[in-house]
Amino acid sequence: MGGLFDTEKKEKRIKELEQLTKEENFWKDRNKSTQINQELSTLKKEIETYKKLETNIVDNLELINILEEEEQKNLIDEIEKLEINLQELEIKALLSEEFDSCNCYLEIHPGAGGTESCDWASMLSRMYLRFCDNRKYEYEIIDSEPGEEAGLKSIIIYIKGLYAYGYLKKEKGVHRLVRISPFDSNKRRHTSFASVLVTPEYNTDINIEIKESDLKIDVYHSSGAGGQSVNTSNSAVRITHLPSNIVVTCQNERSQTRNKEIALKMLKNKLYELELQNLENKKNDIKGTMDNINFGSQIRSYVLEPYKLIKDNRSGYETSNVTKFLDGDILPMLEANLKIK
């Protein structure tokens, strides 16, 4: 078990972080000091949980060997609790990649299919927001564009919480829906697609140089529900990074300046992600391998008609309780995908 949870590595990291907290200028950079304290607290809790589990397992094994059969039965509940705790610790061990503990940006874009796909994008958005509510994650809709008749043409959600990116990172890909269309008067079955992109909010200092000459900045009216909620000023911001053709938008703030700050932050994240991807591609070229899973791959099917079944194409996880799943109960499926290497 020590090999899986690598307590020696974590204890070494704790000492490194504790040393950083003793430095004279530690509190001058509040964002960095907060990140360090958060990581330190998380690692200490993981070590404490591991050691407590280890002690309980050893003690219970010793008790089983010396107790009578009737007394052994009294240990069943305790052992079952230990098993649950051990499974939770295993998930925490799997959430150990560099950016897993980060907040993230989740984007949803409908595929071809007009209103059907826009409505499907809206359903996915609701599913992820319900998941955030269940996990007590904070979230903010950075940008959204409503469909012409229903649903969403696009949405960007900023999700804040420990391991937000780690849990959601494998949602990247194409999601397929099969159902009887509520927009078809003939009640025919339709197949809709929507793509999901998940990007971490990098906690490290991102050394990305962005030249003003490389940016095309457009301002426009924020879209709203109408009435008093409509922002009549040109506060929404769209930034196009010309060399990479990356486009980011933000319209959730009333201030154009604030929207521009958020959009530039998102652009830095995307450029950093692009740089990391380029490095990974170079490594794969050297190894002579390619990643089989890409943004265009279909990762999951949601079948509502003629039967009810949601099946993940990578882990094989499936459930017939589609209502519960679409209401945000997706954690078991996310954990199943974490176990895939």
Side-chain angles (χ1 to χ4, degrees), residues 112-292:
T115 301
E116 288 291 337
S117 292
C118 288
D119 189 54
W120 174 220
S122 180
M123 290 170 64
L124 282 174
S125 171
R126 177 182 177 276
M127 181 184 78
Y128 290 122
L129 293 180
R130 289 291 182 92
F131 166 74
C132 290
D133 289 335
N134 294 341
R135 294 288 300 173
K136 301 294 188 290
Y137 284 165
E138 297 177 27
Y139 58 83
E140 184 178 359
I141 296 175
I142 297 296
D143 188 70
S144 68
E145 184 179 355
E148 293 179 6
E149 295 181 38
L152 294 165
K153 283 187 178 179
S154 69
I155 187 168
I156 303 173
I157 308 167
Y158 171 58
I159 301 173
K160 184 177 180 181
L162 188 60
Y163 299 117
Y165 177 70
Y167 275 113
L168 292 167
K169 62 186 178 183
K170 292 191 176 181
E171 290 301 280
K172 174 182 176 181
V174 172
H175 297 242
R176 171 178 172 261
L177 171 70
V178 180
R179 65 170 176 173
I180 299 294
S181 170
F183 307 101
D184 187 337
S185 59
N186 294 318
K187 301 299 179 183
R188 290 172 294 189
R189 194 163 68 241
H190 286 247
T191 300
S192 307
F193 296 90
S195 60
V196 175
L197 177 64
V198 185
T199 310
E201 180 189 40
Y202 298 102
N203 289 334
T204 54
D205 294 327
I206 303 176
N207 186 22
I208 297 287
E209 182 184 356
I210 300 177
K211 299 177 183 177
E212 283 287 335
S213 58
D214 289 341
L215 301 179
K216 180 177 179 290
I217 302 176
D218 300 305
V219 295
Y220 56 97
H221 283 355
S222 297
S223 59
Q228 294 181 348
S229 65
V230 170
N231 189 345
T232 56
S233 63
N234 287 333
S235 61
V237 175
R238 180 189 298 109
I239 300 178
T240 305
H241 184 251
L242 300 174
S244 64
N245 205 32
I246 290 174
V247 179
V248 291
T249 58
C250 183
Q251 61 171 313
N252 67 310
E253 301 287 341
R254 288 189 173 274
S255 162
Q256 183 186 122
T257 302
R258 180 60 181 149
N259 280 331
K260 184 179 177 182
E261 287 175 2
I262 294 173
L264 283 171
K265 183 180 178 183
M266 291 171 61
L267 178 59
K268 271 195 170 187
N269 268 274
K270 284 182 174 286
L271 289 173
Y272 190 51
E273 176 91 352
L274 184 62
E275 189 171 299
L276 290 176
Q277 187 60 54
N278 288 337
L279 288 172
E280 186 65 27
N281 289 340
K282 286 179 182 177
K283 283 195 285 183
N284 286 337
D285 288 341
I286 292 169
K287 292 177 185 176
T289 61
M290 289 187 69
D291 189 356
N292 290 324

Side-chain angles (χ1 to χ4, degrees), residues 54-72:
E54 187 178 41
T55 300
N56 287 343
I57 289 169
V58 171
D59 289 347
N60 282 320
L61 286 174
E62 290 175 352
L63 279 171
I64 286 172
N65 289 329
I66 62 175
L67 291 177
E68 297 294 332
E69 182 177 346
E70 187 173 335
E71 293 173 307
Q72 288 180 14

